[in-house]
Amino acid sequence: GGALGARGLLAVAVASGAAVWATWAVLLMPGFRRVPLRLQVPYQPSSPRQVANALALLRGRAGKTVDLGSGDGRLVLEAYKQGLRPALGYELNPWLLCLANYRAWKAGYHGNVSFLKKDLWKVNLSDCHNVIVFLAPSVKPPLATKLLAELPDDARVVAGRFPFPSWTPSSTLGQGLEQVWAYDMKEVRREAQSSAQESRV
């Protein structure tokens, strides 16, 4: 009986591992094939509290709102619902894009929000005024360089789960994994210019 139980546990473990691999291979890996390893970010859906905190830091703002690595689209849909328009997401994974579009259709927002299969590193963000970033820490330094180069001064960046290590947030909300940070680009640029001047002295 004990031996049979051990074999049963082993079979369950093998089956579970196969299921995880299949999920990765079919659903998640397609979005990573053209992205360098150091810039790959696994899909992790945002919790309702994370979504609420991120949108709270954008309340009252206007202008184009984008979610970089939009996953299943929940942040974009909530942004549109709260009046941030146009609202769109950039996502490479075709399965997640399908899921996001289904969620938009189910919510009655089909045609009002956009989910585009584009590499966030290759899109021009110069017309974006609100940027949502729920990405891994390894991505933040190179992304900070891109945002500094492209975003207008009146843009606001909201980061979830992990802050930008070299930026000082203008405000923050929540604690632990639910914490989000807001950065106003005019202040970020002023701080970066000040640091550059001090380093030259």
Side-chain angles (χ1 to χ4, degrees), residues 105-117:
W105 171 80
K106 188 176 179 182
Y109 299 155
H110 181 68
N112 296 318
V113 297
S114 301
F115 298 102
L116 306 177
K117 186 180 180 183

Side-chain angles (χ1 to χ4, degrees), residues 4-82:
L4 184 59
R7 282 196 211 103
L9 287 174
L10 180 60
V12 169
V14 170
S16 298
V20 169
W21 180 86
T23 301
W24 162 257
V26 175
L27 297 179
L28 303 180
M29 190 172 64
F32 287 158
R33 287 178 181 150
R34 291 173 294 164
V35 179
L37 182 62
R38 70 185 181 88
L39 300 181
Q40 292 180 3
V41 181
Y43 167 61
Q44 184 178 357
S46 305
S47 70
R49 177 50 55 189
Q50 288 173 332
V51 173
N53 287 347
L55 272 297
L57 294 183
L58 293 176
R59 188 170 294 131
R61 291 181 56 80
K64 183 177 180 181
T65 301
V66 299
D67 182 10
L68 303 180
S70 53
D72 63 10
R74 64 186 66 195
L75 282 156
V76 173
L77 295 175
E78 187 61 26
Y80 180 84
K81 182 179 179 181
Q82 295 192 20

Side-chain angles (χ1 to χ4, degrees), residues 115-134:
F115 298 102
L116 306 177
K117 186 180 180 183
K118 291 188 176 181
D119 185 343
L120 66 88
W121 302 102
K122 297 178 181 178
V123 297
N124 189 320
L125 303 174
S126 60
D127 63 343
C128 299
H129 297 275
N130 306 296
V131 179
I132 303 171
V133 181
F134 274 66

Side-chain angles (χ1 to χ4, degrees), residues 118-184:
K118 291 188 176 181
D119 185 343
L120 66 88
W121 302 102
K122 297 178 181 178
V123 297
N124 189 320
L125 303 174
S126 60
D127 63 343
C128 299
H129 297 275
N130 306 296
V131 179
I132 303 171
V133 181
F134 274 66
L135 298 173
S138 60
V139 176
K140 295 293 173 63
L143 183 58
T145 301
K146 176 179 174 63
L147 297 176
L148 272 171
E150 297 180 12
L151 290 180
D153 270 352
D154 62 348
R156 172 171 280 195
V157 177
V158 173
R161 297 195 186 103
F162 306 99
F164 282 88
S166 61
W167 292 1
T168 301
S170 56
S171 58
T172 184
L173 185 63
Q175 295 181 345
L177 290 178
E178 295 178 345
Q179 187 171 7
V180 294
W181 298 262
Y183 305 90
D184 292 316

